[in-house]
Amino acid sequence: MPLTNAELQTYFLLLTLLPEAIIENMLPPLVPYMVRTLSSDLTPNRLESEIGARAGLFMSAFYLPLLVMNVTWGLISDRIGRKPVLLLGLFVCGATTWILGINTTSFAVAVLCRFLAGTFGGNSAVAKGTLGELHSTDKGRSWAYALYGQIYAISGICGPLLGGFLVSAARAADAQGSPYFTAFAFVAALSVISFTVASKYLEEPVNGGTSKPTADVIREDSGVNIEDDVHERVAAKADKFTVLSWKVCLPILLYVLIAFCNMYWGTILPLLFSSKPELGGLGLSAMDTSFAISIRACSKLLSSIFLSQRVVSRLGPIGAYILGMLIIIPASFILALLHGLEGIPLWLGVAVSMAMFGFVESQVYLSTMMLISASVPPSFLGAAFGFSSTCAALVRTLAPPLSGIGWEMASTGGYGSWVAFVALQAIALLSILVALVGASGGVRAQVPRLRMPTKRRTETGALLVFMCLVPVCVAVFAEMLLRAYITRLIALVYLLYILQDKGHEEGARCSEWVRSWKVWEHLRDFFPISLRAEAILDPSKNYIFCYHPHGIVSMGAFSCFATEACKLSNALPGLNIRLLTLETNFKIPFWRDLLLALNVASVDKRSIQWVLGKPHAQPGDSVMIVPGGAAEALESQPNTNRLLIRTRKGFVRQALHHGASLVPVFGFGETDVWDQVLNPEGSCLRQVQTAFKNVASFSPVLFHGRGLFTRDFGMLPYRRPIVVVVGSPIDIPHLPDAPPEVVEKFHARYMEALKALYDRHKEELLPERHEDLLFL
């Protein structure tokens, strides 16, 4: 089948990118060795300590001018045409590469060459805009952008291998001058060839994929008057779009985040591969490093040919983007585990990780280019891709120094090579969250509110502190184990203390000072949460308070009963109420001690026996439990209240055993503060969640809410009120060995009291409910 004009022009266009693509892929594995060769002004010891910083500077020099020039060349190409800009970029690429090859001693000259190459390096952005003009359909753009990715993938294979081979051959032959001359001269020659072919055969495109017609053709062949054509062009330019709209900003932001990740691992991987094992590296030679990098390019090429378009068509651009960014985490984790390995295990790990990175590049870049091209009119594609490349150049300028710092921390700070990948994994997770915002809100997503009252910022900060406490506690303990001998010793002593401590089974260790911290009041006000009591409870009795529903995290129970934020001591004077939670929480270092200080204990028979049984029980001693537990969290959906209570009778048996009165407590709005991925009973997701809960004792709830700066999507809860209402007590006789029929009797009485409590307040507190209380 003969090629269409648009397809033929696509191949000529991509030829103009080939020299830049090859040099950009040839350089990274050679950078550590080039820096060592050109840094004649540094002593060997000082050189090794500054190798990361100089490598980062060299890599950043190309991207620093692109902060301005990408969008500049995009706008210029919109005005004067694509072809002149592309030819100028080719000329400068060839000239600077030639100078880089003949330079033998000056690191400053090498940096200057890369800076000049970046100044005139707008070909990539201009070419992407041109492809959007040549192909107006999703199918055509998908093919063109996939081919664009394949050019860079092929260059990623040939560039490192060609560079490593030519440099190694030059060194083996003891060639005079720079060992890098032959490699860079090849790229310079390729620039000349590309310049010659493009100047003769590349045509200036117009929307629709045809070459730009002359005035005579317009008059004679198409019958279109030039004056009418001018008016059409003016009208097209007048059809402006909002640059700062979410529809435009979202794909650009996603592109920027993958650009950071790509540049970060592009800088860190050669350092990891080339550094000595005693410095945290893998100790590979220049040829082996180039070969390892080329594995990524092979994977990128194969993914681009066989997988990328299929994945994008099946999952959509956003879904494909999320999948790709998710793979970054295990790919970088594998590399962090390779230190100390040799032979087949080492190369197996390298191959798997590099293959995963290659898939990520192919998948994510195709997704973002599809999103950007669909977000703007064709007449603005040059500016849009120029602006996106400018933003990407900013993070590409920042990424190498940050990766250099990360590598220095990993190699000389004694932290281990995993530290070098922490920033990469954090940005990957951030990218996924941003993409999820786009998937949920699209163009309807709200613009972040940057101007916010101090009180609301404080409330949000308190919530973040609460949500981050567990991971921070785990991270601090892990850091103590990995740090110096003294901190490791302290951590081990503390671990022994945790193993023998029974505080969570012995009524906790309440601290009124901790319960009265101001942060709990700010956390309360975020929703807000309030507490009501329908009756005054006799402080000479013991009680079992039962909180419903569980919700995702039981925020109402925590705020009202684990702290004094809602003035519990005023609402229920004379009572010492211990909130009971899963014993798993008391295995988390430091977090367990905070819970104990908040008067929280474990929800098991031993703990209840200690609080309510003799000889420890005192008048007013009580416990608060959540009968629905982790299983009920899976039922949590906004505007519904589904309680797992029909088969939950253990709390009634405990009340009978100790003669403690039962008190129903209902958190109106508890299920509204988070959304949950739909998981109906019998679905595959629910089966997996239930199986996990049976093993780990807690439910892997897939919840989401609002973002830190937006209201559309994120992990934070919504600002929706929770009103916790404490009902009237149900007197329970003291029957340590109550028969089943007695348990059933008081269980039915409790459900009736709970239903009555709900009915008394549902119209006031749940006016938008989708269904009434449902007992499961």
Side-chain angles (χ1 to χ4, degrees), residues 158 407 429:
C158 298
W407 178 249
L429 290 174

Side-chain angles (χ1 to χ4, degrees), residues 563-640:
T563 75
E564 277 296 317
C566 296
K567 308 302 180 185
L568 177 65
S569 57
N570 294 337
L572 301 172
L575 300 183
N576 181 15
I577 304 174
R578 294 168 175 85
L579 177 63
L580 304 186
T581 186
L582 291 174
E583 187 176 2
T584 307
N585 285 294
F586 297 94
K587 300 183 185 300
I588 303 174
F590 306 124
W591 169 249
R592 67 181 305 278
D593 299 290
L594 176 63
L595 292 180
L596 292 174
L598 291 172
N599 211 23
V600 178
S602 61
V603 58
D604 55 41
K605 292 181 179 179
R606 291 169 297 181
S607 181
I608 296 175
Q609 174 64 34
W610 182 278
V611 176
L612 301 179
K614 297 179 180 181
H616 307 288
Q618 299 294 324
D621 282 351
S622 306
V623 295
M624 157 70 77
I625 64 175
V626 186
E632 191 173 277
L634 299 177
E635 300 290 343
S636 179
Q637 293 289 347
N639 298 311
T640 65

Side-chain angles (χ1 to χ4, degrees), residues 1 81 158 174 178 190 275 291 323 328 331 347 353 379 393 418 503 583 599 622 637 644 721 725 740:
M1 182 176 180
C158 298
D174 291 328
S178 172
L190 184 60
S275 296
F291 176 74
L323 174 64
I328 290 177
W347 279 104
S353 181
S379 57
W418 64 273
E583 187 176 2
N599 211 23
S622 306
Q637 293 289 347
L644 293 179
V725 181

Side-chain angles (χ1 to χ4, degrees), residues 160-215:
L161 291 178
L162 186 63
F165 174 77
L166 293 177
V167 170
S168 298
R171 285 179 170 170
D174 291 328
Q176 298 295 321
S178 172
Y180 309 101
F181 172 76
T182 306
F184 294 155
F186 173 83
V187 178
L190 184 60
S191 299
V192 173
I193 296 172
S194 299
F195 183 93
T196 303
V197 173
S199 61
K200 184 174 182 179
Y201 296 106
L202 183 63
E203 299 174 350
E204 191 67 44
V206 295
N207 298 345
T210 61
S211 58
K212 189 172 183 178
T214 64

Side-chain angles (χ1 to χ4, degrees), residues 43-60:
T43 62
N45 291 335
R46 186 181 171 190
L47 173 61
E48 288 303 319
S49 64
E50 296 185 13
I51 184 69
R54 287 211 167 192
L57 175 61
F58 183 84
M59 294 293 288
S60 296

Side-chain angles (χ1 to χ4, degrees), residues 80 115 146 191 239 275 290 418 482 487 504 610 652 687 746 748:
I80 70 171
F115 182 85
S191 299
D239 183 22
S275 296
S290 297
W418 64 273
L482 296 172
T487 60
H504 58 288
W610 182 278
V652 178
Q687 293 175 12
F746 284 99

Side-chain angles (χ1 to χ4, degrees), residues 271-556:
L271 292 171
L272 173 68
F273 294 152
S274 65
S275 296
K276 299 177 181 178
E278 54 267 26
L279 295 177
L282 302 182
L284 302 182
S285 65
M287 189 63 187
D288 287 343
T289 299
S290 297
F291 176 74
I293 297 296
S294 68
I295 296 175
R296 185 186 73 198
C298 290
S299 173
K300 180 179 178 180
L301 176 61
L302 293 175
S303 299
S304 180
I305 296 174
F306 298 109
L307 290 178
S308 297
Q309 295 183 66
R310 290 185 175 90
V311 174
V312 170
S313 63
R314 186 176 183 86
L315 300 182
I318 289 287
Y321 182 94
I322 293 173
L323 174 64
M325 298 306 290
L326 191 63
I327 292 176
I328 290 177
I329 298 174
S332 56
F333 184 75
I334 291 172
L335 287 175
L337 300 177
L338 297 181
H339 182 256
L341 298 181
E342 296 179 352
I344 293 178
L346 171 64
W347 279 104
L348 180 62
V350 169
V352 171
S353 181
M354 291 296 97
M356 295 170 77
F357 278 125
F359 174 80
V360 171
E361 287 189 38
S362 170
Q363 196 63 66
V364 176
Y365 275 117
L366 176 60
S367 300
T368 53
M369 286 189 287
M370 291 283 291
L371 289 169
I372 293 173
S373 63
S375 67
V376 298
S379 57
F380 290 97
L381 281 170
F385 278 107
F387 180 65
S388 63
S389 297
T390 293
C391 297
L394 174 61
V395 298
R396 285 183 174 131
T397 304
L398 299 175
L402 290 177
S403 61
I405 293 172
W407 178 249
E408 289 181 6
M409 292 178 61
S411 60
T412 62
Y415 293 95
S417 57
W418 64 273
V419 173
F421 296 99
V422 170
L424 176 63
Q425 295 171 346
I427 296 298
L429 290 174
L430 175 63
S431 304
I432 293 171
L433 291 178
V434 173
L436 287 172
V437 171
S440 64
V443 297
R444 296 177 287 103
Q446 299 177 8
V447 177
R449 293 184 59 192
L450 300 180
R451 301 182 65 180
M452 186 183 300
T454 303
K455 184 177 185 296
R456 291 175 69 88
R457 292 182 185 274
T458 305
E459 294 164 1
T460 303
L463 179 70
L464 286 173
V465 169
F466 174 76
M467 295 185 68
C468 294
L469 275 174
V470 171
V472 167
C473 289
V474 173
V476 169
F477 186 74
E479 178 69 7
M480 292 176 65
L481 287 174
L482 296 172
R483 290 288 286 177
Y485 173 78
I486 184 65
T487 60
R488 191 177 298 120
L489 180 61
I490 294 173
L492 291 175
V493 172
Y494 177 65
L495 184 60
L496 292 176
Y497 163 73
I498 291 177
L499 294 176
Q500 62 82 34
D501 182 47
K502 302 299 181 183
H504 58 288
E505 298 176 0
E506 299 174 355
R509 290 189 284 270
C510 180
S511 169
E512 291 300 327
W513 174 69
V514 176
R515 286 171 58 88
S516 301
W517 281 353
K518 196 71 174 178
V519 67
W520 308 130
E521 296 181 13
H522 295 311
L523 176 63
R524 171 203 65 196
D525 294 338
F526 177 89
F527 297 92
I529 301 173
S530 58
L531 176 63
R532 300 181 187 179
E534 287 191 332
I536 301 298
L537 303 187
D538 185 354
S540 64
K541 294 183 177 181
N542 303 113
Y543 301 92
I544 295 180
F545 293 83
C546 300
Y547 184 84
H548 312 272
H550 185 283
I552 300 296
V553 183
S554 299
M555 291 302 305

